[in-house]
Amino acid sequence: MPHAYETDGAAIYRQSFATIRAEADLARFSVEEEPVAVRMIHAAGMVELAPHIRFSPGFAEAARAALAAGAPILCDARMVSEGVTRSRLPADNTVLCTLHEPSVPQLAQDMANTRSAAALELWRPHLAGAVVAIGNAPTALFHLLNMLEDPDCPRPAAIIGCPVGFVGAAESKAALWEAPPVPCCIVEGRLGGSAITVATINALASRAE
Amino acid sequence: MPHAYETDGAAIYRQSFATIRAEADLARFSVEEEPVAVRMIHAAGMVELAPHIRFSPGFAEAARAALAAGAPILCDARMVSEGVTRSRLPADNTVLCTLHEPSVPQLAQDMANTRSAAALELWRPHLAGAVVAIGNAPTALFHLLNMLEDPDCPRPAAIIGCPVGFVGAAESKAALWEAPPVPCCIVEGRLGGSAITVATINALASRAE
């Protein structure tokens, strides 16, 4: 016998968000932050993510304003750039991932760093006022922080710093959180990843649920 | 002062996998399954994922053999298809995601189902012997199970069933696990997602760590 299940996408979202709001402790988030946290939890399938989410003051407002003004979204991985829902973007924003540009492997070798970190060098012409979305590589977030130690490096409007994993993820996010060069959002510890990062962008891009 | 961090990609993988093997309880996995579980945990950034991973008997062997024989990889979302590391594929395998085919929105409307489910109808010519990777939509997994109730529907070689979330994810994976039409792998409950699914494929595609 065929399986019966909810087939209405809007109803699935509605029920999912209602479950998250019933189960997760979201009290510490501002009105601007709460829908972002809800989508991050939704992407992770974990209400246990809530206590690990951190927004610096003014992050949600800065990122929303930048997107509304047409800021590009700079992503460290194709899984991030591909996940952004284009129809939610307020200004037909450019979504850029430079990881697979042909110059990156040589650049990485010259820098003695990963391709994920080297790819950020190609962000420089796009970085001023951008929304940065790092959802995979701790080395990308560390390299961004090092780039921004140079006062001549253009400043993004906001940084979503959510790399995932066992080496450098917790450390790079702690480094961002302890001295944010611009407003930022992180998931503390090992958790993070492309889906959570994409959800953050999708929530900031539109208030529609 | 610039942040100092590990910049050698191979060393990062090595340390990550060593941490996972030190912290996670992997004893119940077979030699064929263990490296797959390790990569799934790596993608999630959670050793707590281990007890939720389930492989049906012969799954890893069937999926590896299919990939080695050139099976296509059928993905429910672009975040899955984009994440597959092409250089790890043993036979230059086709990686297919039909979600954004122009016919899908109308098909979804006609089926009164989601676009994620409707997109699977376009898999039919590719389904025989394929490796299926569902890492996003519970409705896609439910629809696949319903398609396979028809004995005339071609059989894939193996199913990675890892949709994520709060509505239908746990239920669709339980339905697959209780009556697997072919060898399968799931993450029980709400956890899952594109990164875990991609990691499963990448581990099955090559034994290189």
Side-chain angles (χ1 to χ4, degrees):
Chain A
M1 207 170 70
H3 298 280
Y5 56 96
E6 180 59 75
T7 57
D8 175 359
I12 293 170
Y13 269 102
R14 214 162 40 237
Q15 289 175 38
S16 299
F17 291 176
T19 300
I20 292 165
R21 290 187 165 109
E23 292 186 19
D25 182 0
L26 306 170
R28 70 186 172 82
F29 297 115
S30 75
V31 171
E32 292 291 315
E33 294 163 353
E34 193 261 7
V36 184
V38 166
R39 269 195 185 256
M40 294 170 83
I41 292 165
H42 179 245
M46 288 179 73
V47 293
E48 300 79 5
L49 190 74
H52 302 282
I53 301 170
R54 295 272 178 273
F55 299 105
S56 79
F59 163 79
E61 293 82 351
R64 281 206 178 90
L67 291 173
I73 302 164
L74 309 183
C75 308
D76 70 327
R78 294 272 300 165
M79 285 183 72
V80 178
S81 58
E82 283 296 316
V84 174
T85 304
R86 299 311 195 263
S87 60
R88 293 180 67 87
L89 296 176
D92 198 18
N93 308 63
T94 298
V95 183
L96 187 70
C97 173
T98 54
L99 182 58
H100 298 287
E101 291 295 316
S103 61
V104 168
Q106 184 62 51
L107 198 57
Q109 208 173 323
D110 296 347
M111 292 166 60
N113 207 325
T114 63
R115 286 184 295 120
S116 293
L120 269 63
E121 289 296 324
L122 306 185
W123 286 6
R124 289 184 185 271
H126 313 281
L127 202 50
V131 173
V132 164
I134 296 179
N136 184 46
T139 55
L141 181 51
F142 269 131
H143 188 61
L144 177 68
L145 294 177
N146 283 349
M147 285 167 65
L148 291 171
E149 292 211 343
D150 174 2
D152 292 337
C153 180
R155 308 276 113 176
I159 298 172
I160 301 162
C162 290
V164 60
F166 297 87
V167 175
E171 297 84 348
S172 62
K173 291 179 287 190
L176 170 61
W177 186 252
E178 280 157 24
V182 300
C184 72
C185 147
I186 66 162
V187 171
E188 286 183 318
R190 292 173 173 178
L191 296 175
S194 49
I196 292 171
T197 303
V198 162
T200 309
I201 302 166
N202 286 340
L204 293 164
S206 166
R207 292 178 197 272
E209 299 208 326
Chain B
M1 208 172 69
H3 298 280
Y5 56 97
E6 180 59 74
T7 58
D8 175 359
I12 292 170
Y13 269 103
R14 215 161 39 236
Q15 289 174 40
S16 298
F17 291 177
T19 300
I20 292 165
R21 289 188 164 109
E23 292 187 20
D25 182 1
L26 306 170
R28 70 186 172 84
F29 297 116
S30 75
V31 171
E32 293 291 313
E33 294 164 351
E34 193 262 7
V36 184
V38 166
R39 271 195 184 255
M40 294 170 83
I41 292 166
H42 178 246
M46 287 180 73
V47 293
E48 299 80 3
L49 190 73
H52 303 283
I53 300 171
R54 294 272 176 274
F55 299 105
S56 79
F59 163 79
E61 294 82 349
R64 281 205 177 92
L67 291 173
I73 302 165
L74 309 184
C75 308
D76 70 327
R78 293 274 298 167
M79 286 183 69
V80 178
S81 58
E82 282 298 315
V84 174
T85 304
R86 299 313 195 260
S87 61
R88 293 180 66 87
L89 295 176
D92 198 17
N93 308 63
T94 300
V95 183
L96 187 69
C97 173
T98 54
L99 182 58
H100 298 286
E101 292 296 315
S103 62
V104 168
Q106 183 62 50
L107 198 57
Q109 207 173 324
D110 296 346
M111 291 166 60
N113 207 326
T114 64
R115 286 184 296 119
S116 293
L120 270 63
E121 289 296 324
L122 306 185
W123 286 6
R124 289 184 185 271
H126 313 281
L127 202 51
V131 173
V132 165
I134 296 179
N136 184 45
T139 55
L141 181 51
F142 269 131
H143 188 61
L144 177 67
L145 294 177
N146 283 349
M147 284 167 65
L148 291 171
E149 292 210 344
D150 173 2
D152 292 336
C153 181
R155 308 277 112 178
I159 298 171
I160 302 163
C162 291
V164 60
F166 297 87
V167 174
E171 296 84 347
S172 62
K173 291 180 287 190
L176 170 61
W177 186 252
E178 281 158 24
V182 300
C184 71
C185 146
I186 66 162
V187 171
E188 286 183 319
R190 292 172 172 177
L191 296 174
S194 50
I196 292 172
T197 304
V198 162
T200 309
I201 301 167
N202 285 340
L204 293 165
S206 165
R207 291 176 197 272
E209 299 209 326

